[in-house]
Amino acid sequence: MTQDLTGYRVIAVHAHPDDESISTGGALAHLARRGADVLVVTCTLGEEGEVIGPAWQGLVADRADQLGGYRIHELQRALSILGARGTFLGGAGCYRDSGMAGSRASRNPRAFVNGGAEAVDKLAAIFDAERPHLVLTYGPDGGYGHPDHIHAHDVTHAAAEKSPVPRILWAVRLREELEAALPSSAPDGWRLPDPGELDAVDTTDTWVDLDDAAWNAKVEAMRAHATQISIAQGPHAYALSNGITQAVTRREHYQWGAGLPVGPGADLLSGIER
């Protein structure tokens, strides 16, 4: 592939290890293969996550509480597959996974949702140092409402006010494509989603068509997060610990968040001077 994006810098801001692969893995691999420098900023270690299968169940928060450290290993493997660099906001372990809304974890002083202005300043310092042309993160609802995702959105936009970036895009899933890509039956032990159960939107501003290399990189990066994601044989579908079947689509969709607008289907970096 031509290195036509050499000199461009892209930052993706994500809440937990695995979000980078599920939400933006195809775009990150695509941009990196075209020569862009890609950095993933992860805000927590994902300590409050559930674990798939018996092998690592003892690592969860209410047992050994070692899951976050293990997920660093999974993230490093995923980023190497995507061709991206990685860093943790404030350093590994600075902010803890806040858990779902109302959980006991959210009351921990180190919970990411309690980061406040300090977290904004830390991300603004990264923007100052890296000078990204493009920032990817979540929309205001965090995709599916996780407090850490919502806070990542808020912190990203607040940091961009302190250290302006040319464009912010929000990773989303297009409902029509997502539902069309679902298999007709669920793999053994999983179930198909109920109507409207999966987070998705009805319109988007632009998208990335994933060629085989980018799509395979996304799937393999997701597979690297084995405590969190199961990949169906194929692979054409995946499930988290809830066993709900989801599709790995051949497009990743984005909505405009701030900065320079982007046209329908336009390259994510279109109109931004190198």
Side-chain angles (χ1 to χ4, degrees):
M1 177 173 283
T2 179
Q3 298 289 289
D4 62 314
L5 297 183
T6 299
Y8 281 103
R9 296 172 298 278
V10 177
I11 291 181
V13 181
H14 283 291
H16 317 103
D18 79 5
D19 293 327
E20 82 294 328
S21 299
I22 296 171
S23 300
T24 58
L28 299 183
H30 174 79
L31 293 168
R33 288 177 60 238
R34 290 173 61 189
D37 178 76
V38 178
L39 174 67
V40 173
V41 178
T42 308
C43 298
T44 79
L45 303 185
E47 297 94 334
E48 297 296 320
E50 297 178 349
V51 170
I52 295 172
W56 309 111
Q57 286 295 330
L59 299 180
V60 296
D62 61 356
R63 297 181 68 181
D65 197 17
Q66 297 294 308
L67 180 59
Y70 190 82
R71 293 184 73 176
I72 293 175
H73 160 75
E74 293 183 327
L75 177 61
Q76 289 174 333
R77 172 62 179 156
L79 294 178
S80 71
I81 292 168
L82 298 175
R85 297 184 290 126
T87 191
F88 286 96
L89 186 64
C94 179
Y95 297 109
R96 187 177 174 90
D97 185 344
S98 308
M100 297 305 291
S103 70
R104 183 177 62 182
S106 67
R107 299 193 291 273
N108 187 315
R110 289 199 302 109
F112 180 52
V113 293
N114 300 322
E118 179 188 70
V120 174
D121 289 342
K122 290 181 185 299
L123 186 57
I126 293 174
F127 289 171
D128 283 341
E130 297 287 336
R131 296 179 295 110
H133 297 87
L134 171 67
V135 173
L136 306 178
T137 192
Y138 319 99
D141 65 352
Y144 68 99
H146 193 294
D148 283 336
H149 287 229
I150 294 171
H151 198 54
H153 164 89
D154 293 343
V155 167
T156 298
H157 280 262
E161 291 182 5
K162 288 177 169 286
S163 179
V165 300
R167 175 179 291 150
I168 299 176
L169 295 177
W170 303 336
V172 294
R173 303 194 293 184
L174 186 64
R175 191 179 318 279
E176 179 182 4
E177 288 185 9
L178 183 63
E179 294 178 351
L182 287 170
S184 58
S185 60
D188 289 344
W190 300 3
R191 68 172 176 86
L192 291 178
D194 295 330
E197 184 173 16
L198 298 181
D199 61 280
V201 298
D202 294 321
T203 61
T204 66
D205 293 310
T206 193
W207 51 86
V208 178
D209 286 305
L210 306 183
D211 61 15
D212 288 344
W215 189 76
N216 286 329
K218 177 185 177 83
V219 171
E220 291 308 307
M222 292 172 62
R223 196 190 305 276
H225 293 284
T227 64
Q228 306 299 304
I229 305 170
S230 294
I231 303 291
Q233 187 176 3
H236 60 277
Y238 72 97
L240 305 178
S241 60
N242 57 18
I244 299 173
T245 304
Q246 306 193 54
V248 186
T249 60
R250 298 298 296 238
R251 272 185 175 175
E252 283 185 356
H253 284 267
Y254 294 86
Q255 291 179 334
W256 175 81
L260 294 172
V262 60
D267 191 287
L268 303 189
L269 285 159
S270 63
I272 300 175
E273 293 187 5
R274 204 179 314 245

